């Protein structure tokens, strides 16, 4: 008898992607996994519920996939992820197209729930349990390129920023043990992974709950001893939590990329206070200056929120001047999303959508000019590049300063075939907006 076919659509952030990979690992032994939802008996949608645009994308995807019931093989729609956890039964009643709903702590029930649904034990199935203890772990089917993997080191969040619903969805901050993380790293290395990207809601606080102290430097040091792992990349480092030990580990450990993602959100102390952020402008400037002082070629990425309630023209101008002066290597700008259940939802002085859009556009244009001016100074430099693949006959890859999917790439001119997943030296010859162009170093005449 043929196995049931299951397809999965993953929406949202890379933390959601890890959950999706664990879901696929959980169902692999029971069902056949297909990449085309038209072939699937059950379609699993791992949703995002962080901001309005992400919620809308999730709902649109549910509605689109539900139409596959009449057109193709689909027998049931399974919805999980942050949107399911956040809205629960309300969402299931709003969207009768959903057959099975699972929260972010219930992936281990998936096979059982699908089997129960098939055998008509239950018409609709709902499992959305809240947890401050559960951390999704287990064998994963990687959805990234085979040489790169995200590595979740903690779950949940204790920061309670006034605009953010994540603590109510994901629970309190809880770290995985170093032993568990290293075991997974070893397994990933044996599968050919060369780059591990450390993620959590706040990576800088890793270990504070388990070991009563921040253990990120020790964790990076331990991972770097694993044979086969060549790059360790840091995302989501809260600015006020970046310690001297973390900076030193990046500076001194050859396997830790000289790259850091710092979600600043704003620079005005007035707005930072309203956001419930613990750090202030002086803390942010001190740590950025320290990073650049100790790590000359550090690449700093950040994210900014514009249009937060109470953001005055003075606050925005301060933010704009800060971005212009600091010159981040990569920067993302998001319009504030008013989310029910958060403190900011009830704040006065909400900013109009028109003004949010104008401010977003102004900062993105500014960043485009900054990148353009910075890119030209990279021409002539040599970088170690991780070969990712081929686009329209041209090879491409990333260097230490480029995280997958969110930053640029390097297009590589080569007279010979390159092997995906290998690291080669590339000399930069040109730049195209956010991307670079180069030639294999031994073919450049040097």
């Amino acid at each position: 008898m043929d196995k049931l076919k299951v397809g999965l659509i993953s929406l949202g952030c890379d933390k959601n992607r890890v959950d999706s990979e664990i879901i696929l690992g959980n169902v692999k032994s029971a069902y056949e996994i297909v990449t085309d939802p038209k072939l699937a008996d059950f379609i699993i949608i791992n949703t995002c519920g962080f901001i309005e645009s992400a919620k809308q994308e999730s709902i649109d995807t549910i509605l689109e996939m539900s139409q596959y019931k009449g057109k193709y093989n689909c027998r049931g729609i399974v919805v999980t992820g942050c949107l399911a956890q956040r809205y629960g039964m309300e969402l299931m009643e709003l969207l009768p197209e959903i057959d099975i709903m699972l929260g972010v702590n219930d992936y281990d029930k998936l096979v059982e729930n699908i089997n129960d649904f098939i055998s008509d034990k239950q018409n609709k199935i709902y499992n959305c349990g809240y947890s401050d203890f559960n951390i999704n772990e287990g064998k994963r089917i990687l959805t990234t390129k085979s040489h790169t993997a995200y590595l979740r080191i903690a779950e949940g969040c204790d920061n309670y920023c006034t605009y953010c619903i994540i603590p109510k969805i994901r629970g309190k901050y809880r770290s995985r043990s170093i032993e568990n993380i290293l075991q997974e790293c070893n397994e990933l290395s044996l599968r050919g992974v060369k780059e591990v990207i450390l993620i959590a809601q706040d990576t800088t606080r890793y270990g504070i709950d388990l070991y009563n102290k921040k253990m990120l430097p020790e964790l990076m040091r331990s991972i770097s001893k694993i044979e086969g792992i060549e790059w360790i990349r840091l995302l989501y480092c809260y600015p006020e939590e970046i310690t001297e030990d973390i900076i030193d580990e990046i500076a001194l450990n050859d396997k830790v990329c000289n790259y850091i993602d710092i979600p600043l959100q704003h620079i005005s102390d007035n707005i930072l206070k309203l956001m419930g952020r613990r750090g202030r402008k002086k803390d942010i400037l001190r740590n950025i200056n320290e990073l650049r002082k100790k790590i000359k070629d550090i690449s700093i990425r950040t994210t900014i929120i514009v249009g937060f309630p109470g953001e005055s023209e003075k606050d925005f101008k301060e933010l704009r001047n800060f971005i212009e002066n600091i010159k981040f290597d990569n920067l993302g700008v998001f319009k504030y999303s008013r989310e029910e259940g958060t403190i900011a939802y009830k704040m006065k002085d909400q900013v109009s959508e028109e003004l949010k859009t104008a401010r977003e556009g102004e900062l993105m244009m500014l960043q485009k000019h900054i990148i353009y001016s910075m890119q030209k100074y990279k021409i002539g430099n040599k970088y170690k590049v991780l070969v990712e693949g081929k686009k329209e006959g041209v090879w491409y890859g990333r260097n230490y300063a480029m995280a997958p999917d969110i930053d640029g790439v390097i297009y590589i001119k080569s007279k010979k075939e390159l092997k995906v997943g290998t690291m080669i030296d590339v000399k930069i010859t040109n730049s195209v907006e956010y991307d670079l162009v180069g030639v294999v170093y031994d073919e450049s005449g040097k």
Side-chain angles (χ1 to χ4, degrees):
M1 183 177 176
D2 292 338
K3 284 186 175 181
L4 282 171
K5 296 179 175 64
V6 170
L8 184 143
I9 297 171
S10 187
L11 305 172
C13 67
D14 41 48
K15 295 175 284 291
N16 231 31
R17 180 196 286 263
V18 171
D19 279 344
S20 293
E21 293 175 345
I22 291 170
I23 289 170
L24 292 175
N26 284 346
V27 304
K28 182 182 179 181
S29 60
Y31 311 123
E32 179 185 346
I33 297 169
V34 294
T35 55
D36 184 352
K38 293 177 182 177
L39 303 176
D41 296 295
F42 282 84
I43 300 173
I44 305 167
I45 303 164
N46 192 4
T47 61
C48 178
F50 184 47
I51 58 177
E52 187 60 37
S53 58
K55 291 188 289 185
Q56 190 59 54
E57 181 187 22
S58 295
I59 291 171
D60 289 346
T61 303
I62 293 168
L63 293 174
E64 180 186 355
M65 291 299 106
S66 68
Q67 295 176 19
Y68 282 34
K69 290 182 185 179
K71 290 182 179 179
Y72 305 108
N73 297 334
C74 184
R75 298 166 60 181
I77 297 293
V78 182
V79 173
T80 185
C82 288
L83 191 73
Q85 186 71 36
R86 181 175 180 181
Y87 292 104
M89 189 59 73
E90 178 187 348
L91 182 66
M92 204 161 189
E93 291 173 356
L94 178 68
L95 297 175
E97 293 86 353
I98 300 171
D99 299 296
I100 300 172
M101 180 176 283
L102 293 173
V104 297
N105 301 297
D106 301 291
Y107 300 138
D108 57 334
K109 302 181 179 73
L110 183 53
V111 172
E112 176 188 346
N113 287 168
I114 289 177
N115 289 342
D116 284 347
F117 182 82
I118 292 169
S119 61
D120 287 326
K121 291 179 183 176
Q122 291 175 260
N123 185 30
K124 300 275 186 178
I125 297 176
Y126 176 86
N127 272 309
C128 285
Y130 176 86
S131 177
D132 280 331
F133 305 100
N134 180 64
I135 301 177
N136 290 314
E137 296 177 325
K139 298 290 184 181
R140 295 157 55 190
I141 294 180
L142 296 182
T143 58
T144 51
K145 296 183 184 298
S146 60
H147 46 270
T148 294
Y150 291 97
L151 186 64
R152 180 165 50 206
I153 62 175
E155 178 62 282
C157 188
D158 290 341
N159 289 322
Y160 292 98
C161 300
T162 59
Y163 54 83
C164 184
I165 199 70
I166 292 298
K168 293 184 178 180
I169 295 174
R170 293 281 179 172
K172 294 180 180 178
Y173 192 89
R174 48 207 188 270
S175 305
R176 295 176 62 192
S177 70
I178 287 181
E179 292 75 19
N180 276 6
I181 294 171
L182 293 180
Q183 180 181 347
E184 183 172 11
C185 264
N186 274 297
E187 292 170 357
L188 291 170
S189 175
L190 291 173
R191 293 165 65 177
V193 170
K194 289 183 168 63
E195 175 189 31
V196 290
I197 304 171
L198 307 190
I199 58 172
Q201 295 300 331
D202 178 359
T203 54
T204 38
R205 296 187 72 244
Y206 171 73
I208 194 73
D209 54 320
L210 278 183
Y211 306 107
N212 294 317
K213 67 173 184 174
K214 298 173 187 174
M215 292 285 286
L216 184 60
E218 288 86 345
L219 177 64
M220 291 190 288
R221 206 171 303 129
S222 297
I223 293 173
S224 69
K225 295 175 184 177
I226 297 175
E227 187 176 352
I229 301 297
E230 297 190 41
W231 279 356
I232 302 166
R233 189 179 298 277
L234 275 180
L235 299 188
Y236 313 125
C237 296
Y238 275 58
E240 67 276 7
E241 302 286 352
I242 298 173
T243 62
E244 187 176 346
D245 287 345
I246 290 174
I247 296 173
D248 287 343
E249 190 62 31
I250 299 172
L252 299 173
N253 192 326
D254 290 339
K255 287 192 175 183
V256 179
C257 293
N258 290 350
Y259 177 103
I260 190 166
D261 177 286
I262 311 174
L264 298 179
Q265 314 306 7
H266 218 280
I267 196 60
S268 162
D269 282 346
N270 172 50
I271 299 300
L272 290 170
K273 183 178 179 181
L274 289 171
M275 286 179 165
R277 307 282 287 188
R278 292 193 299 271
R280 294 294 180 264
K281 184 175 183 176
K282 63 178 176 60
D283 306 312
I284 293 168
L285 290 173
R286 181 186 66 245
N287 282 336
I288 289 175
N289 290 334
E290 194 67 15
L291 280 162
R292 287 180 167 169
K293 177 183 173 183
K294 289 193 173 183
I295 312 164
K296 298 301 181 186
D297 60 346
I298 186 73
S299 180
I300 303 177
R301 155 174 276 281
T302 192
T303 47
I304 297 295
I305 295 174
V306 293
F308 190 80
E311 184 188 55
S312 66
E313 192 61 37
K314 181 182 177 182
D315 294 321
F316 178 71
K317 186 177 180 181
E318 183 178 359
L319 176 61
R320 190 190 191 286
N321 290 341
F322 168 72
I323 292 170
E324 190 170 21
N325 291 330
I326 292 296
K327 292 179 172 54
F328 290 98
D329 298 88
N330 289 286
L331 178 143
V333 182
F334 296 90
K335 294 185 291 185
Y336 165 70
S337 178
R338 192 179 182 188
E339 297 299 317
E340 63 273 19
T342 65
I343 295 171
Y345 182 82
K346 297 181 180 179
M347 284 183 178
K348 298 178 180 179
D349 300 322
Q350 297 285 332
V351 177
S352 70
E353 284 300 315
E354 292 79 9
L355 189 53
K356 290 180 195 176
T357 299
R359 289 176 174 176
E360 176 193 34
E362 185 174 340
L363 292 189
M364 288 308 298
M365 184 58 68
L366 171 62
Q367 181 64 15
K368 186 175 182 179
H369 290 310
I370 289 171
I371 291 295
Y372 179 78
S373 64
M374 293 173 68
Q375 293 285 65
K376 62 184 180 182
Y377 291 108
K378 297 174 183 177
I379 295 173
N381 289 354
K382 182 183 76 169
Y383 296 108
K384 179 189 285 187
V385 173
L386 180 59
V387 180
E388 297 258 83
K390 225 175 188 181
K391 289 180 182 177
E392 299 179 356
V394 180
W395 293 99
Y396 68 94
R398 295 180 290 110
N399 68 1
Y400 77 92
M402 298 168 168
D405 301 325
I406 55 174
D407 300 327
V409 298
I410 297 176
Y411 292 102
I412 310 162
K413 296 177 182 178
S414 177
K415 297 174 184 176
K416 58 187 178 184
E417 286 291 301
L418 303 178
K419 186 177 180 182
V420 172
T422 58
M423 291 190 172
I424 61 172
D425 289 331
V426 173
K427 182 180 178 181
I428 303 303
T429 58
N430 200 0
S431 65
V432 184
E433 291 190 343
Y434 293 93
D435 301 320
L436 296 170
V437 179
V439 61
V440 177
Y441 193 67
D442 60 9
E443 296 175 0
S444 67
K446 290 186 178 181

